[in-house]
């Protein structure tokens, strides 16, 4: 079976690593190709950095209005190949076709936003800070930048970084997850057509050896990462050790608060979509559902019915609402965590284990699961499950919900469902989370806004997307200059 090639210096070339692992369709277990995986992939990173260094100085000198022209062409190509790319995402990642299309639309939005770089790169100017002297700020590229991206959004997350980096005059190296490298392989085939100089964008494959090579190589100045908190902390610490600028998005345990005045039908549908969308494999998936003042159990019953009716299966089938999890290892881990929740005292209201999907019996399927009355002192309530599991928790007041949320060591997202403006304002002001939703189940920022995150959900200062990305991929230079007809004497 074909081993994927790297894209370096404008050319496709074989990895120096001869070993490879299979790329597996999580719904069928069928191999889809092979990807280089071993210590020699570090040499591939070195080749990519050399190409990126050669390209970057000339690329930085290209006027920004010209640098964004290839991005306009890339937007058109992504739209033209949307269906093909979405099928690839579904086959290697497992999500539904509709979810794959939505992911790609978010990628395209980031390309569009990066095309505004001629305006976003404008800065401050002060005339006559003292007589005859002006002061201003200019933004210049950082240099060679790299992105290390996860399996769960193989078509979107790279675009939180890549278009902004090159619009700002940097060169870029992308390292996709070895679990889902095919999507970025196809994206790079499109990038090959947009007229970028060789070496401005490069693709390397591999696992930890490639990651460590990126972290340690002195030619790379900035690193963008999305993944688990454990790995994000490692990326941030080691990148900083080697003097790099780092933005590292980590994991989450996202709470959703449902108040008694929330619209029940709409809330149950949106919350169910939030918990089970992408099979729960996203850092903005709702996990802990905090139900306030529901003495009759109306919210619980509505969520149960919505979850139970959700159809699980192969994501390319039209009526499927949830696909498999990424691997057999992930499936086993999620099922073990469900059992741990029961062991800690939770009631298994809906058990999605041992899912049998006709025609796809070998797939990594777990149906929607609900744990009820999860103990507040247990481990499961703090652990990121990263699967289709809802934890239902009853609390007496909004203040109790805020107290519970703000004790959590994560801080990626928190949502509130209510018809009370006063409670919504209190919640958004006091909750410790970087992305906040009010009557929104997945508070995913548009491309113009940063993808925020607090506490152990993010390591760094500047996030992906929007103006934060422009700031991350540039460094400021303050210029103070005087062009006098006569030297000023008063300061």
């Amino acid at each position: 079976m074909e081993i994927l090639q790297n894209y370096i210096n404008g050319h496709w070339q074989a990895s120096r690593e001869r070993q490879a692992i299979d790329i597996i369709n999580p719904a069928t277990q069928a191999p889809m190709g092979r990807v280089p995986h071993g210590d020699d992939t570090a040499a591939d990173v070195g080749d990519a950095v050399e190409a990126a260094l050669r390209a970057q100085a000339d690329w930085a000198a290209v006027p920004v209005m010209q640098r964004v022209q290839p991005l306009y062409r890339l937007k058109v190509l992504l739209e033209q190949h949307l269906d093909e790319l979405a099928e690839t995402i579904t086959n290697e990642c497992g999500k539904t076709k509709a979810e794959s299309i939505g992911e790609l639309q978010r990628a395209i939005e980031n390309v569009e936003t990066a095309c505004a770089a001629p305006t976003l790169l404008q800065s401050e100017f002060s005339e006559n800070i003292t007589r005859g002297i002006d002061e201003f700020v200019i933004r210049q590229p950082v240099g060679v930048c790299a992105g290390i991206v996860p399996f769960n959004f193989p078509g979107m997350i790279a675009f939180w970084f890549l278009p902004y980096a090159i619009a700002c005059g940097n060169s870029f190296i992308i390292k996709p997850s070895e679990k889902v490298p095919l999507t970025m392989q196809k994206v790079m085939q499109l990038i090959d057509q947009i007229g970028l100089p060789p070496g401005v964008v490069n693709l390397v494959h591999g696992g930890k050896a490639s990651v460590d090579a990126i972290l340690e190589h002195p030619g790379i100045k900035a690193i963008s990462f999305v993944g688990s908190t454990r790995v994000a902390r490692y990326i941030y610490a080691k990148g900083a050790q080697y003097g790099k600028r780092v933005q590292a998005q980590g994991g989450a345990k996202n709470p959703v608060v449902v108040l008694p005045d929330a619209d029940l039908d709409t809330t149950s549908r949106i919350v169910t979509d939030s918990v089970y969308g992408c099979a729960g494999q996203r850092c903005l998936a709702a996990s802990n559902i905090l139900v306030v003042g529901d003495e009759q159990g109306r919210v619980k019953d509505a969520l149960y019915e919505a979850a139970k009716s959700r159809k699980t299966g192969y994501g390319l089938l039209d009526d499927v609402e949830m696909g498999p999890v990424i691997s057999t290892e992930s499936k086993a881990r999620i099922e073990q965590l469900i059992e741990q929740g029961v062991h800690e005292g939770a009631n298994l209201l809906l058990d999605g284990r041992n899912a049998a999907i006709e025609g796809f019996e070998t797939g990594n399927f777990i149906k929607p699961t609900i744990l009820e009355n999860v103990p507040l002192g247990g481990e499961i309530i703090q652990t990121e499950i990263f699967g289709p599991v809802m934890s239902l928790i009853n609390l007496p007041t909004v203040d109790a919900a805020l107290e519970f949320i703000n004790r959590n060591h994560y801080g990626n997202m928190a949502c509130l469902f209510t018809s009370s403006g006063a409670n919504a304002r209190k919640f958004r002001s006091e909750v410790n989370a970087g992305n906040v939703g009010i009557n929104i189940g997945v508070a995913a920022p548009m491309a113009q806004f940063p993808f925020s995150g607090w506490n152990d959900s993010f390591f760094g200062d500047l996030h992906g997307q929007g103006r934060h990305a422009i700031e991350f991929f540039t460094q400021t230079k303050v210029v103070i200059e005087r062009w006098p007809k006569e030297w000023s004497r008063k300061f």
Side-chain angles (χ1 to χ4, degrees):
M1 189 171 289
E2 179 185 2
I3 298 177
L4 298 188
Q5 294 187 322
N6 297 317
Y7 182 81
I8 296 174
N9 201 34
H11 302 286
W12 293 101
Q13 60 187 59
S15 171
R16 298 196 192 192
E17 176 59 63
R18 301 292 81 173
Q19 296 185 70
I21 59 174
D22 288 339
I23 307 158
I24 301 296
N25 183 319
T28 66
Q29 298 301 311
M32 302 173 64
R34 291 175 63 76
V35 62
H37 197 273
D39 291 344
D40 286 345
T41 58
D44 298 336
V45 172
D47 294 341
V49 175
E50 287 183 17
L53 284 168
R54 288 194 301 268
Q56 195 273 320
D58 288 341
W59 181 242
V62 173
V64 62
M65 193 67 78
Q66 295 179 31
R67 289 200 301 258
V68 300
Q69 296 308 310
L71 294 178
Y72 285 110
R73 293 190 282 273
L74 179 58
K75 165 187 154 57
V76 172
L77 286 173
L78 288 170
E79 290 171 336
Q80 290 174 344
H81 293 267
L82 186 69
D83 196 69
E84 170 195 347
L85 289 169
E87 286 195 10
T88 301
I89 291 172
T90 293
N91 278 323
E92 70 173 350
C93 179
K95 61 183 62 176
T96 68
K97 179 76 171 293
E99 290 169 339
S100 298
I101 289 173
E103 164 180 355
L104 288 167
Q105 288 170 335
R106 283 303 180 100
I108 292 168
E109 288 168 8
N110 274 285
V111 175
E112 291 170 334
T113 302
C115 286
T119 298
L120 294 173
L121 284 170
Q122 291 176 349
S123 195
E124 304 88 16
F125 183 98
S126 291
E127 185 181 34
N128 284 329
I129 57 165
T130 189
R131 187 180 297 274
I133 298 178
D134 304 328
E135 185 168 352
F136 55 94
V137 175
I138 58 177
R139 290 192 170 275
Q140 295 185 327
V142 174
V144 177
C145 306
I148 304 166
V149 295
F151 76 82
N152 58 330
F153 284 89
M156 180 187 73
I157 289 179
F159 286 90
W160 289 357
F161 316 119
L162 187 154
Y164 301 98
I166 63 175
C168 291
N170 304 282
S171 53
F172 198 78
I173 299 166
I174 188 75
K175 207 294 288 182
S177 167
E178 61 272 28
K179 296 176 182 176
V180 291
L182 292 170
T183 300
M184 198 48 57
Q185 195 86 0
K186 291 191 174 183
V187 167
M188 202 59 61
Q189 290 168 1
L190 302 181
I191 289 176
D192 189 45
Q193 303 173 39
I194 65 176
L196 287 171
V200 171
V201 176
N202 305 273
L203 168 72
V204 293
H205 293 292
K208 189 175 186 300
S210 296
V211 171
D212 285 340
I214 288 170
L215 291 169
E216 296 171 10
H217 199 294
I220 295 176
K221 301 303 180 183
I223 296 173
S224 304
F225 170 82
V226 177
S228 70
T229 288
R230 178 183 62 83
V231 180
R233 185 180 282 111
Y234 171 80
I235 296 287
Y236 184 73
K238 192 162 186 178
Q241 176 188 342
Y242 283 90
K244 304 184 192 306
R245 182 179 292 196
V246 182
Q247 49 183 183
Q249 190 84 32
K253 187 72 173 179
N254 300 310
V256 171
V257 179
V258 181
L259 298 189
D261 59 5
D263 180 274
L264 187 59
D265 291 339
T266 303
T267 298
S268 60
R269 176 175 52 81
I270 294 175
V271 170
T272 303
D273 286 341
S274 178
V275 174
Y276 303 118
C278 301
Q281 297 176 122
R282 55 185 175 188
C283 62
L284 290 182
S287 181
N288 289 332
I289 311 304
L290 313 179
V291 182
V292 174
D294 184 35
E295 287 81 6
Q296 284 78 40
R298 293 172 62 246
V299 174
K300 179 186 78 171
D301 292 344
L303 290 173
Y304 174 84
E305 292 300 327
K308 187 177 180 181
S309 65
R310 198 171 187 89
K311 184 168 183 180
T312 304
Y314 178 39
L316 291 183
L317 298 179
D318 290 338
D319 57 346
V320 167
E321 299 171 281
M322 190 177 81
V325 298
I326 188 64
S327 66
T328 55
E329 293 81 8
S330 290
K331 179 183 178 184
R333 174 184 173 274
I334 294 163
E335 290 179 340
Q336 186 275 324
L337 287 170
I338 294 169
E339 184 60 35
Q340 180 180 334
V342 174
H343 179 74
E344 290 179 354
N347 173 45
L348 190 54
L349 185 65
L350 183 62
D351 190 354
R353 296 173 296 177
N354 303 312
I357 307 300
E358 185 177 355
F360 301 93
E361 287 78 9
T362 61
N364 307 321
F365 293 100
I366 302 175
K367 289 186 176 181
T369 297
I370 299 177
L371 291 168
E372 181 189 14
N373 297 326
V374 181
L376 300 186
E379 285 292 321
I380 196 69
I381 209 166
Q382 304 176 49
T383 301
E384 183 179 31
I385 298 176
F386 221 61
V389 181
M390 175 191 298
S391 294
L392 268 179
I393 303 158
N394 292 296
L395 293 172
T397 63
V398 174
D399 286 328
L402 282 167
E403 182 183 358
F404 171 83
I405 293 168
N406 291 344
R407 288 200 307 265
N408 195 296
H409 62 96
Y410 292 114
N412 209 34
M413 182 189 82
C415 297
L416 174 73
F417 284 82
T418 183
S419 59
S420 165
N423 280 327
R425 193 172 189 277
K426 174 183 176 66
F427 185 83
R428 79 182 192 209
S429 174
E430 297 180 15
V431 74
N432 290 341
N435 301 291
V436 178
I438 304 297
N439 298 319
I440 297 289
V442 179
M446 297 295 289
Q448 306 95 305
F449 293 89
F451 191 98
S452 195
W454 286 17
N455 304 334
D456 284 355
S457 292
F458 182 75
F459 301 90
D461 297 304
L462 295 165
H463 300 82
Q465 300 194 147
R467 290 187 180 275
H468 272 220
I470 296 292
E471 293 182 29
F472 182 80
F473 290 113
T474 57
Q475 48 196 342
T476 55
K477 184 179 286 184
V478 178
V479 180
I480 309 167
E481 64 180 29
R482 170 166 45 195
W483 296 99
K485 290 185 179 179
E486 58 183 57
W487 296 105
S488 57
R489 298 181 182 276
K490 294 181 179 180
F491 296 92

